[in-house]
Amino acid sequence: MRIGVLASQGAFAEHIAKLRQLGAEAVPVRLPEELEGLDGLVIPGGESTSISRLMRDFHLADKIKERAQSGLPVFGTCAGMILLAKKNSDAYPETLGLMDISVRRNAFGRQRESFEAELSVPVLGEKPFPGVFIRAPLIEKADGKVEILARLGDGTMVAAREGRLLALAFHPELTDDLRFHQYFLDIACGKR
Ligand code: GLN
């Protein structure tokens, strides 16, 4: 399976390493033609305003949107989740508007700008998933057709799936736990 990782800015190298560990062919994507022949695309964490601008400057945004609307599986983490959302409560960045969720950037105040939380994620089994949150967004609202995969202890929504789109507020690529990457590969090959 060939998975592209948007490599404009942010934690793309870590995603590529995790996907390769799972036996996928993972390739960086910087140009529109590199979207050809992919079975899935990862939009990593980083700075959503920079990623968004670069995506537009390099004519990737419309192409990604088009491909996702015709079924390309997309996995967005942190800044990537912001870019997948239909609505962002901040004026910036302009998102791709693919997933029926509303997000709030930098949603955790100063004290909790970065933190770790053990998350219960029923679709991954019983073992909690180590959630690494770095100036993370949260999901404020989700349409009924969106499946919420994980919440923080206070109920805050931090992981969601809508069809072949998967969005996490945290960074699975910075842990040793490969289950979310495997879950995405399973979505991409139609097993889930
Ligand atoms: N705070 C960043 C943003 O709003 C996201 C942080 C991250 O991806 N770790 O773009």
Side-chain angles (χ1 to χ4, degrees):
M1 199 158 3
R2 187 174 162 90
I3 307 291
V5 180
L6 186 66
S8 310
Q9 190 265 343
F12 55 87
E14 291 83 351
H15 275 295
I16 290 175
K18 297 294 166 192
L19 292 163
R20 287 184 181 160
Q21 252 176 286
L22 289 168
E25 183 192 349
V27 293
V29 170
R30 294 187 179 88
L31 300 169
E33 52 270 29
E34 290 165 339
L35 289 168
E36 299 307 325
L38 296 182
D39 302 303
L41 177 73
V42 176
I43 305 180
E47 194 49 50
S48 56
T49 47
S50 310
I51 299 176
S52 170
R53 201 182 51 240
L54 290 163
M55 244 173 16
R56 275 160 231 285
D57 290 353
F58 287 84
H59 309 288
L60 278 159
D62 288 343
K63 196 93 192 274
I64 291 175
K65 201 165 163 172
E66 217 176 271
R67 293 288 320 270
Q69 280 165 343
S70 54
L72 180 73
V74 185
F75 181 15
T77 59
C78 203
M81 176 174 99
I82 297 169
L83 294 167
L84 278 179
K86 283 231 161 106
K87 216 170 148 244
N88 164 24
S89 62
D90 250 22
Y92 299 100
E94 194 183 321
T95 66
L96 293 168
L98 288 166
M99 232 177 137
D100 226 332
I101 54 174
S102 306
V103 298
R104 177 143 47 96
R105 292 179 64 203
N106 303 324
F108 301 93
R110 281 201 154 215
Q111 296 235 330
R112 294 185 76 204
E113 266 194 351
S114 299
F115 61 97
E116 288 192 33
E118 295 282 294
L119 301 170
S120 153
V121 189
V123 293
L124 298 184
E126 285 210 350
K127 196 172 135 217
F129 191 90
V132 175
F133 293 80
I134 304 171
R135 298 186 61 229
L138 59 72
I139 301 170
E140 279 183 326
K141 257 196 292 177
D143 185 83
K145 60 185 179 294
V146 175
E147 185 185 358
I148 298 303
L149 303 179
R151 296 174 185 266
L152 292 175
D154 63 2
T156 303
M157 300 180 277
V158 292
R161 172 180 178 184
E162 181 179 348
R164 294 188 203 162
L165 305 174
L166 176 63
L168 310 182
F170 46 93
H171 287 267
E173 78 286 6
L174 301 182
T175 72
D176 292 329
D177 197 320
L178 295 170
R179 286 178 294 161
F180 262 119
H181 288 87
Q182 184 61 58
Y183 183 66
F184 179 63
L185 293 178
D186 289 348
I187 291 175
C189 74
K191 258 203 239 160
R192 299 265 232 168

